[in-house]
Amino acid sequence: GNFSLVQRTRYACAIADKDSTIITGGEYTMKVVARYNLQGHVENLPEMTQGRMIHGCGSYYSGGTMVLVVAGGLDDDSNPLSSTEQLTMGGTAWTTAKCLPRTLYGVATVSMNNQIYLLGGLDGNNDMTEIMVFDGEDWK
């Protein structure tokens, strides 16, 4: 389907979920989390506590329930972030998770093997070449 996004969106991050995509944050939608399918906007999910753009995101499953994760990025003053938040699907609020070991933004992300991988990015001063992995508890 061809449709328009409900809000102006750029520098956001997307998480695949079976038959829909969840878009998190972005320059004009810093705290917004919205689900879209092929027909268009489905619903807004609870807002993130920390607005962010150019961040990493992904998902893992805990007890059969999908958990969304956002990490790093830039805040609305373009300050680099190290914070991590997660939302258990069906929940009403994002919660704080283990922070990244340093500020990080502009990463590539992929979710696989029930873990979230952050690749590359910037720490505010340097291009990063490492890969960080979140297992639902900690970054390695």
Side-chain angles (χ1 to χ4, degrees):
N2 227 355
F3 60 86
S4 295
L5 298 173
V6 172
Q7 294 178 296
R8 189 172 172 194
T9 303
R10 74 173 172 194
Y11 304 139
C13 192
I15 303 169
D17 179 21
K18 294 181 184 128
D19 60 352
S20 65
T21 300
I22 299 165
I23 299 176
T24 62
E27 185 176 13
Y28 305 108
T29 52
M30 296 290 285
K31 292 184 176 184
V32 174
V33 181
R35 179 191 302 274
Y36 289 84
N37 65 17
L38 293 176
Q39 288 71 48
H41 183 261
V42 174
E43 65 178 336
N44 279 352
L45 299 171
E47 287 192 349
M48 296 180 288
T49 56
Q50 169 70 60
R52 60 187 75 227
M53 62 180 164
I54 316 175
H55 56 287
C57 67
S59 66
Y60 67 93
Y61 285 84
S62 176
T65 302
M66 185 181 198
V67 180
L68 308 179
V69 176
V70 294
L74 298 176
D75 68 13
D76 57 0
D77 290 322
S78 294
N79 296 309
L81 300 169
S82 62
S83 62
T84 302
E85 298 180 53
Q86 54 187 14
L87 174 70
T88 301
M89 292 306 287
T92 59
W94 289 79
T95 58
T96 301
K98 179 80 176 205
C99 284
L100 293 165
R102 71 189 59 75
T103 60
L104 194 62
Y105 63 96
V107 297
T109 57
V110 65
S111 299
M112 65 181 185
N113 299 327
N114 213 37
Q115 297 179 320
I116 300 159
Y117 294 75
L118 300 185
L119 301 89
L122 300 157
D123 70 356
N125 299 308
N126 303 298
D127 289 331
M128 306 304 292
T129 58
E130 66 191 331
I131 297 172
M132 287 192 229
V133 183
F134 187 70
D135 62 8
E137 297 292 326
D138 202 355
W139 290 102
K140 297 175 172 62

